[in-house]
Amino acid sequence: MSTTHSTTPVGSAASSAPAAPVGPPTDGSRGFVPAVLDLGDVVLRPWRPGLEVRGGAVASLTKAAADPEIALWNPLRAADPVQAEACLDRWATGWENGSLGYFAILDAVDSELFGTIALRWTDRADGLAMVGYWLLPAARGRGVVTRATRTVTRWGFDTAGARRIELAHAVDNPASCRVADRCGFPLEGTLRASYRFGDGRYHDEHLHARLATDPDTEAGAGPGPEARGRRDG
């Protein structure tokens, strides 16, 4: 998985959100505005309390927090229902103030939770953001996170006024390198001992980034091993 470091689920409350992006800010402000992003077989819905998720949003988050891969690369503060509810509240607040854009990645047919993808500002005034994600086992290796990352990145550029979006992941998590490459995020360097992951160790990370002015790319978008990016809880 890649790290934002952040993540979020969606429910019925998202049904009132705009079904399509409304355009970039025109007054110099920057913020993430809730939107439903339809990828066909998968839909991205803003995480917030009341989001309809098969089996329940809280139960789905606690299940995700217990997954070994997510626990290592995207430690999720949702080990029990109280923590999961706090995550939902935190992500909803982020949407309200425009500082965080957490989407639940859901099956378009039955709203099964596949994962989370999020954008957060690292320097809002300068238009600098970071993307991160995690996936549950059933959704891995199907190209889901590649499509979600490409879609959310373009949404961040087109509607929130992002100038540059970064993607960071542990060097020991090479699948996220492949996701970054497929989504047009070139590798810019290695950050030494830059982030403490779920194993309690500081790992070196690869830093990838994409500019709003970079050309779109669909090359190499096919399914393949997909990792989790960091800092998503």
Side-chain angles (χ1 to χ4, degrees):
M1 335 268 177
S2 137
T3 49
T4 55
H5 305 121
S6 39
T7 323
T8 318
V10 181
S12 58
S15 61
S16 61
V22 295
T26 58
D27 61 356
S29 65
R30 292 184 172 93
F32 301 121
V33 177
V36 177
L37 306 179
D38 188 351
L39 280 62
D41 57 332
V42 173
V43 63
L44 310 181
R45 294 185 181 275
W47 269 120
R48 56 184 63 187
L51 181 67
E52 292 181 356
V53 177
R54 193 179 86 177
V58 169
S60 296
L61 284 177
T62 57
K63 177 182 176 181
D67 177 79
E69 288 289 303
I70 294 174
L72 174 59
W73 300 125
N74 294 80
L76 185 60
R77 290 173 286 172
D80 57 48
V82 172
Q83 289 186 340
E85 292 280 6
C87 272
L88 290 172
D89 289 341
R90 185 165 62 250
W91 296 335
T93 298
W95 279 114
E96 289 170 5
N97 62 33
S99 62
L100 302 172
Y102 278 84
F103 292 91
I105 305 172
L106 301 172
D107 185 283
V109 175
D110 64 4
S111 295
E112 177 185 359
L113 181 65
F114 286 162
T116 293
I117 186 163
L119 282 177
R120 71 171 179 88
W121 296 113
T122 55
D123 188 334
R124 190 169 181 172
D126 195 35
L128 178 61
M130 178 170 278
V131 64
Y133 50 81
W134 51 258
L135 286 181
L136 286 160
R140 295 172 192 164
R142 296 165 48 184
V144 170
V145 80
T146 297
R147 290 189 291 143
T149 300
R150 185 180 293 114
T151 299
V152 167
T153 298
R154 179 45 54 195
W155 171 82
F157 287 143
D158 290 347
T159 72
R163 177 184 63 82
R164 170 184 164 96
I165 297 177
E166 297 179 344
L167 187 161
H169 64 86
V171 171
D172 294 332
N173 181 9
S176 268
C177 257
R178 293 188 286 271
V179 171
D181 288 343
R182 288 195 289 265
C183 294
F185 283 74
L187 177 64
E188 294 189 342
T190 300
L191 308 174
R192 296 183 299 159
S194 65
Y195 191 76
R196 190 174 186 174
F197 284 84
D199 58 3
R201 296 172 46 227
Y202 286 94
H203 287 252
D204 292 351
E205 291 187 288
H206 281 162
L207 176 64
H208 303 255
R210 183 170 174 78
L211 303 179
T213 53
D214 287 342
D216 286 333
T217 176
E218 296 285 334
E226 294 174 326
R228 281 59 55 196
R230 68 171 161 82
R231 308 171 211 177
D232 275 337

